[in-house]
Amino acid sequence: MEYEAAVKAPLKLKGTANKDIQKKLKKKNKEKIKNEGESSKPKDPNETLVSYKQPVVKTKAQLKFEQMKEEQQKKRILEKASKTHKQRVEEFNRHLDSLTEHFDIPKVSWTNQNATSLKADQLADIQQNEIKEISDPLRFPDYFGVRNLFRVKDLFDAKVHYGHKEGTLDPNMKPYIFGSRLGYLIFDLDKTAELLQDALNFTAHIAYRGGIILFVSHFPQHTLTVENAAKQAGEYAHAREWDFHIFTNSEKVYNGVTRLPDLVILLSTLNPQMQEHTAVKDAAKMCIPTIGIVDSNSNPNLITYPVPGNDDSPAAVQLYCNLFRDAILLGKSKKQVSC
Amino acid sequence: MASSRLERIGNIYTRVRGLLRSGAMKPEDKPIWYDVYEAFPPKIEPQYGRTASEITIRPIFYPEDVIRAKFYERFGSPGLISLANNEYPTPCQKFLDRYKEMEKDFSDESELFEAVVKVMEDEKSVAESSSSNQPDRGTSMASMFSAAVNKSQPQPKINFGDLLTEK
């Protein structure tokens, strides 16, 4: 198509040895030599002429140009070397100071004194919303840093990974079990750590928003631990026998208007009769989120944020209490700072 | 203010969401936890009648269990062992460590086992003969107590397990 019109010959650059011109020149010189040679010596017609190459010839203009270029470069180098960077910066600053402020980027001050384009209150609203958006705790995956409260090794040292025997296993707990060591179930601490982190994060956010948190446990040997943790956190605990209508009929039981907790933390989801603790069902009924430590014989289905782990060892329960107490205190501390 | 007590239908979030959408619950009555739940939902949605998964629990066994079984068969249990104390290895643990060291020299398992037994018994007899000269290796009550007091972590002050085990 269009490519047929293209020139397929090599480029003919000025100054470079060009074979065609060489040929021409050769021819010319041949003729010259022939004419000259005839007068001097008769040359052997078979002798081939010395093929000399035409030197790369630059035109006058080219030579002049290159000369000027060199001179200019030398000049420039001398110029640049004359001043240090510091001197240059100082000079530039002096130059800027001498200019007017007319072309400067307009500043929008916090006191709205210089803002002329927007109304003062409009500007304030925009700034407020921006601040709120930036500092909204819900936007951060771990605003309170609950990840740093514990390590998987701490869970191991506190015997969190010990479950009951295979015979008492609740089928719903199977995903959280790592395996069974001669009949004794062992929890997968990686999963436990992840779920525990979620639970602590949720706790911290509820505490930050001023929610009431209730620690619940019905194991007699853990009563003191649980109640102390709640006291230190500044929240509430119910570690005794559960009255059946505390949540569902609270106003009758307490004889007055009651506010139910916004979060229930169950240190054990079973009562001493090895049945599901009433608080699990009642909290679900009253639309209260629950966090529960579920052992291998507990049912995690009704619990909002289950944490699979040992709920019998005092060491484990002490660890959980400490972690939840710390999460609550973290949430509350951030609340004071912002307000 | 409306509420829904049906714990077996959906979960608390779906019920409250339904109430808000239908208008039964006003937006200002929205519970505190609602936004937090939306931002950080649980990994598995809570639901009453969730069917259990068909996972089989796998048994946990280690290659060293074979050696442990042989050891206990031959020598029996040393009585009480304190699982909480990781410092003083049990006789079986010592046997295992020595077994691992000598594993490269032998190809036959039973030969290796007998060899290790011999080595341990020799060591034991040597230790017994010079026990009076050796400093207290920490199995007496007094040394355990002082060791525990010096540590920062709370340790059981009287360790009956170590009292009753042979050295």
Side-chain angles (χ1 to χ4, degrees), chain B residues 28 31 39 45 52 57 60 62 67 78 81-82 93 126 144 151 156:
Chain B
E28 55 261 26
E45 285 228 3
I57 308 289
I60 301 173
Y62 299 101
I67 309 160
I81 300 173
S82 166
Q93 187 60 44
V126 165
M144 291 275 322
K151 277 192 202 143

Side-chain angles (χ1 to χ4, degrees), chain A residues 9-27 52-57:
Chain A
L11 287 171
K12 295 177 186 171
L13 296 167
K14 210 193 248 185
T16 54
N18 205 321
K19 282 190 181 167
D20 292 322
I21 302 174
Q22 261 191 343
K23 278 191 193 159
K24 265 195 190 168
L25 289 166
K26 255 193 186 173
K27 250 193 181 173
Y52 60 93
K53 286 190 184 142
Q54 194 74 358
V56 175
V57 165

Side-chain angles (χ1 to χ4, degrees), chain A residues 37-300:
Chain A
E38 275 176 2
S39 57
S40 57
K41 274 194 231 172
K43 269 205 173 158
D44 196 9
N46 295 330
E47 202 184 302
T48 52
L49 275 165
V50 175
S51 56
Y52 60 93
K53 286 190 184 142
Q54 194 74 358
V56 175
V57 165
K58 289 196 175 170
T59 60
K60 269 189 190 170
Q62 271 184 317
L63 288 168
K64 195 77 194 276
F65 171 70
E66 281 180 6
Q67 210 183 5
M68 287 307 291
K69 202 171 152 188
E70 273 187 54
E71 280 176 28
Q72 288 279 356
Q73 218 179 15
K74 280 186 192 160
K75 253 194 196 173
R76 270 188 226 127
I77 290 169
L78 281 173
E79 260 188 54
K80 287 213 169 176
S82 62
K83 292 185 211 162
T84 63
H85 177 72
K86 191 174 177 186
Q87 282 176 324
R88 255 183 256 280
V89 168
E90 282 175 4
E91 271 191 38
F92 186 63
N93 284 336
R94 262 178 263 141
H95 170 70
L96 287 177
D97 284 337
S98 65
L99 300 172
T100 71
E101 285 190 11
H102 182 78
F103 298 108
D104 273 359
I105 300 162
K107 265 193 290 186
V108 180
S109 80
W110 292 105
T111 55
N112 298 323
Q113 275 175 3
N114 297 334
T116 49
S117 51
L118 286 167
K119 282 192 197 162
D121 48 347
Q122 272 184 330
L123 209 61
D125 275 340
I126 292 172
Q127 284 164 3
Q128 273 289 312
N129 285 336
E130 276 180 13
I131 295 170
K132 269 192 197 161
E133 237 190 54
I134 294 168
S135 64
D136 182 13
L138 288 177
R139 284 174 173 269
F140 299 80
D142 193 5
Y143 186 75
F144 302 100
V146 295
R147 208 178 320 166
N148 304 322
L149 284 176
F150 71 98
R151 294 219 152 87
V152 175
K153 183 157 196 311
D154 299 333
L155 298 179
F156 182 83
D157 290 336
K159 307 169 198 160
V160 164
H161 58 293
Y162 289 141
H164 291 281
K165 284 204 111 174
E166 269 187 58
T168 53
L169 173 66
D170 187 302
N172 293 298
M173 289 302 293
K174 278 191 196 166
Y176 306 121
I177 303 289
F178 178 72
S180 121
R181 176 69 167 161
L182 302 174
Y184 292 93
L185 296 165
I186 306 291
F187 284 108
D188 188 347
L189 283 182
D190 292 327
K191 293 188 182 152
T192 299
E194 218 189 306
L195 291 167
L196 180 58
Q197 204 181 302
D198 285 346
L200 289 170
N201 184 39
F202 189 81
T203 314
H205 278 281
I206 297 284
Y208 175 80
R209 289 161 163 251
I212 292 179
I213 299 172
L214 183 69
F215 285 78
V216 171
S217 165
H218 202 178
F219 267 92
Q221 56 262 47
H222 303 146
T223 301
L224 188 61
T225 317
V226 171
E227 289 186 347
N228 278 341
K231 220 186 277 183
Q232 287 162 9
E235 295 292 338
Y236 305 83
H238 187 106
R240 316 282 167 155
E241 200 175 332
W242 186 266
D243 300 332
F244 279 102
H245 307 291
I246 286 180
F247 281 172
T248 46
N249 205 357
S250 54
E251 299 194 352
K252 271 275 167 62
V253 170
Y254 293 111
N255 221 350
V257 176
T258 51
R259 179 183 159 183
L260 293 178
D262 302 298
L263 171 65
V264 170
I265 301 179
L266 286 139
L267 277 305
S268 162
T269 57
L270 296 177
N271 58 23
Q273 290 81 46
M274 290 298 153
Q275 291 156 346
E276 193 182 65
H277 199 296
T278 324
V280 174
K281 192 179 64 168
D282 281 357
K285 271 188 191 286
M286 305 308 290
C287 295
I288 302 170
T290 45
I291 291 172
I293 311 293
V294 276
D295 205 341
S296 59
N297 50 1
S298 318
N299 185 344

Side-chain angles (χ1 to χ4, degrees), chain A residues 144 204 207-208 233-235 327-337:
Chain A
F144 302 100
Y208 175 80
E235 295 292 338
I328 294 170
L329 290 172
L330 276 174
K332 286 187 175 175
S333 64
K334 289 269 169 102
K335 181 170 74 167
Q336 283 167 4
V337 166

Side-chain angles (χ1 to χ4, degrees), chain A residues 180-181 194 198 284 305, chain B residues 4 15 40 43 58 60 65:
Chain A
S180 121
R181 176 69 167 161
E194 218 189 306
D198 285 346
Y305 293 89
Chain B
S4 167
R15 279 184 277 141
F40 306 105
K43 294 259 166 20
R58 57 174 178 177
I60 301 173
D65 285 347

